[in-house]
Structures are given as C-alpha cells and as structure tokens.
Amino acid sequence: MRLSEGVEWGAHVCGLLSVLPDGATLSGAHLADYHGVPPAYMAKHLQALSRAGVVSAGRGPTGGYRLARPASEITLWDVTQAIEGSAPAFRCQDIRTRGPVGATPKECKRMCGIAKAFLAAENAWRASLQAVTVADVMGDAAKDFSAAKIKRFATWLEDAAH
Amino acid sequence: MRLSEGVEWGAHVCGLLSVLPDGATLSGAHLADYHGVPPAYMAKHLQALSRAGVVSAGRGPTGGYRLARPASEITLWDVTQAIEGSAPAFRCQDIRTRGPVGATPKECKRMCGIAKAFLAAENAWRASLQAVTVADVMGDAAKDFSAAKIKRFATWLEDAAH
DNA sequence: GTACCCCTACTCGGATAGCGAGTGTCCGAGTCGGAATGG
DNA sequence: CCATTCCGACTCGGACACTCGCTATCCGAGTAGGGGTAC
C-alpha cells in the first residue's frame, strides 16, 4: 500500500499558500519551483486541489492559486481526498460468496467481518487526518523557522507573489 | 491508495485454517479452490504468510498449510504486514529541504509536521487492525453460518483436508 | 514374511511475463495588462 | 491628453506517453508414502 506522493506535495503547497498576504496568489510554476519538483506534474495535482475546492485558481497574468478558505478549515484529509480520491483502500471482493462452499446471498445479510474491520481501521485513519488542519501544521512548523530562513523566504516571495 | 487484494485473501485463509481440526492441513490448491481464486496467485500470498511466520507449511503428500499459532494470537495487522510489507504508506520525501528556500539540515532537527501527522494517522490505522484477531472475526462470522452452509463445508473439508 | 530401496505423486518455493494505476509531460483555452493608435 | 482597440504574455486546464508495482503464471526443489524386490 502506498500513498501518492502528490498528497505530500499538496499538503506543503497548502501550507505555503496559507502564509501568503491576503489576496496574493502564487502560480503553479512558482509553487513547483519552491518545492523543487517538476512543474508540469505539480500542475496536475494543483488542478485536483482546485477541482476539490481546496484552492481557488485565477487565470491570466495576475492569476495563480490561493486557498479557497482559511487554513484552519482545511484538514489533511481534505487534501488527501482531493488528490487520492475518496475510494477506500480496502475493496472487499466478497470472496466468501465464491468457490464451492460460497455463501448464498441470504447468508450475507451482514457485512463480512473482515471488511468491517478493515473499514473501521480506515475510518480511524481518516479521523486522525481530519483532526489536523493546515493551520495546525504551519503553527507547529513555525517553531523551527530560523531568522535566516524567514529572510530567504521573504526575498523569494517578493519575486514570486502577485 | 489501494490495499493489495492479497490481504483480503490472506485474512480469509487464516479464518479458514483456524477452524481446521487439530493437526490437519490444507494445500494451497484447496485453499484457492475454496475461495474461487487463481491457485498460482494464491500460492504467492501463502508463501508470504509462511515467510512471515503467520502460517507454517509442510511439504510432500501430507503437507499443506496450518496456522503457526492460535487464531487468537494472529491479528489482521499481522496478515497485512505479511503480504503488504511493513513500509509505511506515506513516504516523506523531505521536500522542505529542496528548492530555492530549502531548509538547511540544522533547521530540520524535528520531523516535518506533515509527515508526523500522516504517520500518526497510519499508527491509528495499524492499532485498529492490531486490535482484531482472526479468532474475533471468525467468532463474529459464525453467527451468520446457516446449518446448510456448515454441512456443505464439512463435506468439502472431508475431501480436502489431510 | 519382512526389511530395504526406489519411484511416483504430491507439496511448497522462487523466478518469470502481463497489465493498470501512478508518474511525468506537453500543448491548447482563457484572461488580464499594457502598448499602440486615432480622435 | 484621453479613450479605445488590439496584441502579447502569462495563467490554468485537459489530453497524451512512460514506468513501476501489483496481478497472474509457470516450472523446479523437496518430501512422504506406497509398491516392488531381494533376502
């Protein structure tokens, strides 16, 4: 089982967008450059975030991306769902109904216990992600920001932001 | 994100093996037949379960698979780990160290907050699976077994088990 | 009749192809700002 | 000097190749039991 790396990118992007001045935007190319990843591929993930309503996109020379709502209202689950989709990782094939001793439909009124357990585990995972917002992450990360890094960041932002 | 279907197969196999008479075994071919899945592919997953010490394998005409320890001591996490491996689904690429404003090693003493949150979610998922044993699942499933199904199963087992 | 040996049939185990989702890329659609132009 | 128009550059959005891991398969290694043979 493997989570798409785009989820990590999306989370970092939301963190970066959350510290922008009000009304400012960043283009996909700049977001990719900032994180050192391929611009075209980053664009694909930004598109997914835009479709999901996590970020809002503007076109034209002054266009770019910004958060669609306050960072305190965007959870890591929102980002994950936007990029990975909402299909569960465990997809029950109901193999208990197959084979020579397969259960008949009447014997399958309740959900398979195995599927139930795996879906419960997935719910726990989701709940854990829903409990963390982009604002939480950035607040935590801010503790590690050195003065030098903040200065570097401000300089970069000067050139990049609209 | 998608969980390998082999995990479901492995869980069902462990459930089936857990109701075998003491000392009896089932061959990979019979386990595949029972679940209506390709024998060769089932064999691959059984091999993984065997390597992980979840089931023990015997060779030769009287050989086959049996549980390596009581069903109450085998969790769904054990099965998952055996087949999927123990690598985390979220693999931090430390993209905060990349790009023009990349953090220096000194600024990365603590783990990235995003990675921390995702790994915490994964821990919740794992804990949920570790709380459910094969015995739990079978005890729950037994409630749905009709007399007809039990009879069919006994007949099948007569031919299959060693 | 009995003990030994070989052989067969059955088992698991690792090495080998095929396919689909994720990865990576490109070009077209849309939009805003600014420069050029005419009044 | 000002309003209008046109152009260009920059943006996002969807459609197109490529790669790696899961899916699926086959053949070889190993073992237990049974039949045959020699004593």
Side-chain angles (χ1 to χ4, degrees):
Chain A
M1 190 176 56
R2 202 176 146 194
L3 204 62
S4 166
E5 64 181 349
V7 173
E8 182 181 2
W9 297 10
H12 278 276
V13 161
C14 288
L16 176 52
L17 291 180
S18 74
V19 298
L20 283 189
D22 221 41
T25 64
L26 280 174
S27 72
H30 282 127
L31 287 169
D33 175 57
Y34 182 88
H35 294 105
V37 299
Y41 193 28
M42 172 62 96
K44 184 181 181 68
H45 294 310
L46 290 170
Q47 193 176 336
L49 287 172
S50 175
R51 262 198 301 265
V54 174
V55 303
S56 68
R59 297 177 90 117
T62 63
Y65 293 98
R66 74 189 71 190
L67 291 186
R69 54 182 186 271
S72 59
E73 295 174 19
I74 298 177
T75 69
L76 291 184
W77 168 247
D78 294 330
V79 177
T80 304
Q81 191 180 28
I83 291 174
E84 278 277 331
S86 54
F90 181 87
R91 316 189 182 172
C92 184
Q93 300 185 303
D94 254 346
I95 64 176
R96 63 176 171 169
T97 65
R98 295 155 63 172
V101 199
T104 62
K106 288 218 170 185
E107 294 161 355
C108 291
K109 271 176 49 185
R110 301 194 312 159
M111 187 187 296
C112 168
I114 291 171
K116 216 186 301 179
F118 274 95
L119 293 181
E122 221 162 313
N123 285 337
W125 176 69
R126 184 184 316 137
S128 183
L129 289 181
Q130 283 173 335
V132 181
T133 69
V134 171
D136 295 336
V137 172
M138 289 310 288
D140 187 63
K143 298 175 187 168
D144 292 339
F145 288 166
S146 66
K149 165 150 181 150
I150 292 175
K151 187 172 180 58
R152 262 183 295 153
F153 175 70
T155 305
W156 177 86
L157 196 61
E158 196 71 23
D159 290 346
H162 281 174
Chain B
M1 190 175 56
R2 203 176 146 191
L3 203 63
S4 165
E5 63 180 351
V7 173
E8 184 182 359
W9 298 9
H12 278 277
V13 161
C14 288
L16 176 52
L17 292 179
S18 74
V19 297
L20 282 188
D22 222 41
T25 63
L26 280 173
S27 72
H30 282 127
L31 288 170
D33 175 57
Y34 182 88
H35 293 104
V37 298
Y41 192 28
M42 173 61 96
K44 184 180 179 66
H45 293 311
L46 290 171
Q47 192 178 336
L49 288 171
S50 174
R51 263 199 300 266
V54 174
V55 303
S56 67
R59 298 177 90 118
T62 64
Y65 293 99
R66 73 188 73 188
L67 291 185
R69 54 183 187 272
S72 58
E73 295 175 19
I74 299 177
T75 69
L76 290 184
W77 168 248
D78 294 330
V79 176
T80 303
Q81 190 179 28
I83 291 174
E84 278 277 331
S86 53
F90 181 87
R91 317 191 180 169
C92 185
Q93 300 184 303
D94 254 346
I95 64 177
R96 61 176 173 172
T97 65
R98 296 154 62 172
V101 199
T104 62
K106 287 217 172 185
E107 295 162 353
C108 293
K109 271 176 49 186
R110 300 195 312 158
M111 187 187 296
C112 168
I114 291 171
K116 216 186 302 177
F118 274 95
L119 293 181
E122 220 162 313
N123 285 338
W125 176 70
R126 184 185 314 135
S128 182
L129 290 181
Q130 283 173 334
V132 181
T133 69
V134 171
D136 295 335
V137 172
M138 288 310 287
D140 187 62
K143 297 175 188 170
D144 291 339
F145 289 168
S146 65
K149 168 153 177 145
I150 292 175
K151 187 171 179 61
R152 263 183 294 153
F153 175 69
T155 305
W156 178 85
L157 196 62
E158 196 72 23
D159 289 346
H162 282 173

